[in-house]
Amino acid sequence: WMRQVLPSERRQFCADIHGIGFQTTRRFQPWPSDLVSRLHLIGEILVSALSSRRSEQALRVSEERYRTVVEEQTELVCRFRPDATLTFVNAAYADYFAVTRQDLIGRSFLTLLPEADRRQALAHIESLAQSKQVGSQEHQVVNHKGELRWQNWVNCPILDSSGQVVEFQ
């Protein structure tokens, strides 16, 4: 049984493909075994390509969902290396300090703290890098108006494949 697939149905129809069939339509004819093996190989390649495409699409949707959640947070979210160099900041973080993301990425977040608090903050980060544990720290920051504000940060280590801390979030 076959029917024409309408354009509006194509997306759903393609998502449901689980195999490919080949047939002769004019007359019954046995197919040589070498042709059958080549058609089988073509079918496997096409199914694999469709499966990969679906996986890539699902990954893109997941990444977009994550990005939206992080970007719409009102809480300040950042990622930084163990030396305190920022590698990511969300919009709320950049807005709080009234600077662009480009001005923050690659810069040490310690420059946003009062001079007297920097050594203690760095020592805390270094201890978390060694222990590989989640830790929180309360310290002051200087906001865009030059005012001192207290913040409580929860720092989660991100490990590489060998178990070394490469970043914190």
Side-chain angles (χ1 to χ4, degrees), residues 23-35:
Q23 66 181 8
T24 58
T25 56
R26 295 189 182 200
R27 64 184 166 91
F28 176 77
Q29 164 184 339
W31 290 4
S33 62
D34 65 324
L35 176 61

Side-chain angles (χ1 to χ4, degrees), residues 125-153:
I125 295 302
E126 289 171 347
S127 72
L128 293 178
Q130 293 214 354
S131 70
K132 300 174 185 151
Q133 299 293 315
V134 174
S136 65
Q137 182 183 33
E138 192 170 286
H139 58 74
Q140 295 185 85
V141 296
V142 181
N143 71 9
H144 68 281
K145 296 177 184 175
E147 303 166 330
L148 289 177
R149 297 284 187 234
W150 283 96
Q151 292 183 343
N152 184 20
W153 287 90

Side-chain angles (χ1 to χ4, degrees), residues 147-162:
E147 303 166 330
L148 289 177
R149 297 284 187 234
W150 283 96
Q151 292 183 343
N152 184 20
W153 287 90
V154 176
N155 301 302
C156 302
I158 299 166
L159 309 178
D160 64 12
S161 60
S162 65

Side-chain angles (χ1 to χ4, degrees), residues 80-81 84-86 93 107-113 121 125 139:
F80 58 92
R81 294 187 192 110
T85 301
L86 291 164
Y93 193 103
R107 173 179 168 185
S108 173
F109 76 80
L110 297 173
T111 62
L112 304 170
L113 279 59
I125 295 302
H139 58 74

Side-chain angles (χ1 to χ4, degrees), residues 5-13:
V5 178
L6 302 173
S8 61
E9 298 174 300
R10 280 195 183 123
R11 173 174 260 175
Q12 179 59 39
F13 181 75

